[in-house]
Amino acid sequence: MSDNLQNSLLYKVKKPNDLRVLSDNQLDQVSRELRNEVIEVVSQTGGHLGSSLGVVELTVALHAVFNTPFDKLIWDVGHQCYPHKIITERRNFMSSLRQKGGISGFTKRSESEYDPFGAAHSSTSISAALGFTMARELGQPVGDTIAVIGDGSITAGMAYEALNNAGSENKRMFVILNDNEMSIAPPVGAMSSYLSTINSHQAFEKLKLFGEEIESHLPSTLREGARRARQLVTGRNQSTFFEDLGFNYLGPIDGHDMGQLLHVLRAAKFRSTGPTLIHVCTKKGHGYAPAENSADKYHGVSKFNIQTGQQSKAPANAPSYTSIFGKSLLEEAKLDTRVVGITAAMPSGTGINILANEFPERVFDVGIAEQHAVTFAAGLAAGGMKPFCAIYSTFLQRAYDQIVHDVALQNLPVRFAIDRAGLVGADGATHAGIFDISYMSNIPNMTVMAASDEAELVHMVRTAAEFDEGPIAFRYPRGNGTGIQLPQRGEILKIGKGRIVQEGEDLVIVSFGAHMNLVKDAEVALAKMGVSVTVADARFAKPLDVDLINQLMENHPCMLTVEQGSMGGFGSIVLQHVNKNRNRNKNLTFDSIFVADRFIDQADVNSMYEDAGLGINTIIDKSIQLVEQSNKTSKNFNFDDFKRDASNRT
């Protein structure tokens, strides 16, 4: 650690208690030093920089005013939690941020007592804070509860439900609305416009506080603004939306002015009796010019050069699956005016922006509202359009009832493009897309596909565009493709039909999805041991290609399925069919490889799959076990050398 840092105020702040003995000017200095340290850390680890830089002053002020961890500070999503982690006894672990064996990029209960509630998906903080509040009211040792939620997250339905419930309970709690007018993409919708209207003048001129007592505790420069705020912001006899829900409303205030923050937070803490919303205006990426000037404000970055802001990204050998989806969707949209795209606040993350650039009127960004996105897509389908609803696997979970009730029950042809399917790396368990095979395949009328490579993804986009018989889903992973040649336009796949990639005799491995490359590597290693392997690409989990499975059963002594999903998925579907058709091969030995039944912590993707039981060694070991158990062969395989020398495994 440098001498400058050891002599800094921040170095002396080991935990929030240390902030509470500092003067306001010293807290402002701590914020400046904290911002520099966040930049330094993320330049070495990568991560969510812009959102963290936007809340540095707010983080310091909240911990200085409130008695954490007895008071419960709950961050929504958690993208902005790096400054919080640094001043809550985790500074020495920040170099391991988002890495294998390191600390999480989000808040995590098991990591620190200062993280009372885990986060990574949006719009949960107010609900959780109300839960802590009511636990306190029922006698549990809980102090004040403070939920910090962004202007993007507060547009989600769950946030409205929580605000409504909290207003009706009328208990003391705090909601900090962190209004930076930008989530991952610029926020959309009526609430965003409403907040922008409130935030259209300087903070001093529109500060509105909820009583003369609090007003009297403000400095003179703020007091006049408080008196005039109702007229300036809402009209003399009108209330804000939040007040109509039962909240006291304070703000907007400048989230980068430590003096304002401390005065308002202290006034609220000592005078508030009911639910209070404090509207804080911040700038994403504040204090670091490359982030401030970037279109996405450095929302998520790889390692970068602090002086230039240049990110160090390894050159890609192939385009990303996401971009291939976006380009393929655009090709279909050019040929069919009924094709439209829907995203839930992730236009660039899902590739929908590629369609939006060409046909903006045929793309709908509904904000952080996955439930609405799915039912909206159902309405579009019922109205004769061909909607492609592009949502990350982990976020699509939030709309499960809408998939079942509004789409599948009515057999509406909504196309689900499921991005980030499988394990995803540094974001860890909260963003892992491992459940969609199970939860989509369980639904009647649903067709479920998985792309084994990027060319297959192109085929599946075309197939989905042409499929009008009901809902259809296709999944694909995060990251770059395999580098194979891509068709200009995809082929229309026959629904429910897989393909044989390679013929063999001793064992068949049936792969569903993007683990195909590793299956091929395992086949090469097994061939060196004398094991002749058939490799099949299922393409469909539902409807299952029963003719192909029957053929493979009859012609092989053992079968192994491989998928990048949880238990209860493709392997279970195949096993049910095998058990019902044992008469075709009563001696067939069968096994499945899927993601282990636990949450997999962050690491690089390959390490995560190893940890999850989906590494190449597992595939080879399972294959050997099946062959050894089989009574259908008298061949002598070269297993002994393989077992003695694991380095032979390619």
Side-chain angles (χ1 to χ4, degrees), residues 587-607:
N587 296 315
L588 179 76
T589 54
F590 180 91
D591 207 346
S592 297
I593 296 177
F594 46 82
V595 174
D597 186 27
R598 54 186 169 83
F599 293 107
I600 310 299
D601 288 333
Q602 77 272 0
D604 66 88
V605 174
N606 290 335
S607 295

Side-chain angles (χ1 to χ4, degrees), residues 620-638:
I620 295 171
D621 285 342
K622 289 279 189 181
S623 299
I624 292 172
Q625 291 170 17
L626 287 174
V627 171
E628 288 182 326
Q629 292 169 14
S630 172
N631 295 320
K632 287 291 184 180
T633 179
S634 58
K635 286 185 178 180
N636 293 317
F637 299 106
N638 185 24

Side-chain angles (χ1 to χ4, degrees), residues 317-534:
N317 296 322
S320 70
Y321 280 94
T322 297
S323 67
I324 291 166
F325 160 71
K327 292 174 183 177
S328 299
L329 181 61
L330 176 59
E331 289 303 311
E332 298 305 318
K334 288 178 179 177
L335 299 171
D336 191 336
T337 59
R338 293 173 296 168
V339 171
V340 295
I342 300 165
T343 176
M346 299 292 289
S348 60
T350 59
I352 287 289
N353 63 314
I354 296 173
L355 177 60
N357 291 338
E358 190 88 10
F359 300 111
E361 73 284 359
R362 288 160 62 185
V363 170
F364 304 94
D365 184 348
V366 302
I368 303 175
E370 290 84 4
Q371 292 172 299
H372 163 62
V374 170
T375 302
F376 173 55
L380 281 165
M385 301 301 289
K386 292 186 172 183
F388 279 76
C389 193
I391 300 177
Y392 291 4
S393 172
T394 186
F395 298 148
L396 189 60
Q397 295 163 184
R398 312 185 85 177
Y400 192 61
D401 180 66
Q402 286 69 30
I403 298 170
V404 174
H405 184 270
D406 298 338
V407 176
L409 184 64
Q410 302 183 93
N411 203 32
L412 291 169
V414 174
R415 288 84 174 162
F416 292 99
I418 306 178
D419 201 333
R420 269 55 167 189
L423 301 175
V424 295
D427 283 336
T430 58
H431 283 57
I434 62 172
F435 303 114
D436 60 89
I437 302 172
S438 301
Y439 72 66
M440 296 298 270
S441 298
N442 284 332
I443 305 173
N445 294 332
M446 185 67 68
T447 296
V448 180
M449 301 182 286
S452 58
D453 57 40
E454 58 268 49
E456 285 291 298
L457 176 58
V458 176
H459 298 326
M460 289 178 182
V461 173
R462 170 86 187 274
T463 301
E466 300 289 347
F467 187 74
D468 285 320
E469 286 70 37
I472 189 167
F474 52 97
R475 72 189 314 259
Y476 46 98
R478 180 180 187 175
N480 299 324
T482 62
I484 65 173
Q485 184 69 34
L486 294 176
Q488 179 63 32
R489 190 185 184 204
E491 303 171 3
I492 301 174
L493 302 178
K494 189 171 182 180
I495 298 299
K497 292 298 177 183
R499 61 180 180 135
I500 293 178
V501 176
Q502 177 174 305
E503 295 274 9
E505 299 176 357
D506 304 314
L507 165 74
V508 57
I509 302 178
V510 186
S511 179
F512 180 65
H515 231 55
M516 174 61 79
N517 259 18
L518 211 59
V519 168
K520 290 179 178 178
D521 289 343
E523 180 275 325
V524 172
L526 289 164
K528 292 178 180 178
M529 289 174 268
V531 181
S532 175
V533 180
T534 292

Side-chain angles (χ1 to χ4, degrees), residues 170-375:
N170 196 32
K171 304 300 181 184
R172 173 184 165 99
M173 64 176 287
F174 301 94
V175 175
I176 310 296
L177 173 56
N178 175 33
D179 182 2
N180 58 29
E181 296 194 314
M182 183 176 185
S183 47
I184 295 175
V188 296
M191 176 53 76
S192 174
S193 300
Y194 175 75
L195 294 176
S196 295
T197 300
I198 295 178
N199 187 16
S200 60
H201 305 291
Q202 291 185 357
F204 279 0
E205 295 180 335
K206 55 189 175 158
L207 182 64
K208 186 175 84 62
L209 300 176
F210 60 84
E212 291 298 326
E213 282 191 292
I214 289 182
E215 182 182 305
S216 68
H217 287 268
L218 292 173
S220 58
T221 53
L222 290 179
R223 199 172 299 146
E224 180 59 27
R227 293 192 183 104
R228 293 186 296 161
R230 183 174 298 277
Q231 181 178 3
L232 289 172
V233 178
T234 64
R236 186 176 300 277
N237 298 315
Q238 297 178 0
S239 59
T240 66
F241 168 80
F242 304 108
E243 287 172 310
D244 289 339
L245 287 176
F247 275 74
N248 301 307
Y249 173 84
L250 290 75
I253 60 174
D254 184 349
H256 301 299
D257 186 319
M258 183 62 73
Q260 281 193 53
L261 284 170
L262 291 171
H263 283 304
V264 173
L265 290 175
R266 286 166 181 160
K269 177 181 177 179
F270 291 113
R271 297 294 172 177
S272 178
T273 57
T276 299
L277 185 139
I278 304 172
H279 186 172
V280 179
C281 298
T282 62
K283 294 180 180 179
K284 200 169 185 178
H286 181 74
Y288 182 53
E292 290 182 345
N293 297 328
S294 171
D296 68 351
K297 308 302 180 185
Y298 278 31
H299 170 75
V301 295
S302 57
K303 298 178 184 180
F304 62 92
N305 181 289
I306 294 177
Q307 281 69 42
T308 65
Q310 184 68 38
Q311 297 182 49
S312 55
K313 294 184 177 180
N317 296 322
S320 70
Y321 280 94
T322 297
S323 67
I324 291 166
F325 160 71
K327 292 174 183 177
S328 299
L329 181 61
L330 176 59
E331 289 303 311
E332 298 305 318
K334 288 178 179 177
L335 299 171
D336 191 336
T337 59
R338 293 173 296 168
V339 171
V340 295
I342 300 165
T343 176
M346 299 292 289
S348 60
T350 59
I352 287 289
N353 63 314
I354 296 173
L355 177 60
N357 291 338
E358 190 88 10
F359 300 111
E361 73 284 359
R362 288 160 62 185
V363 170
F364 304 94
D365 184 348
V366 302
I368 303 175
E370 290 84 4
Q371 292 172 299
H372 163 62
V374 170
T375 302

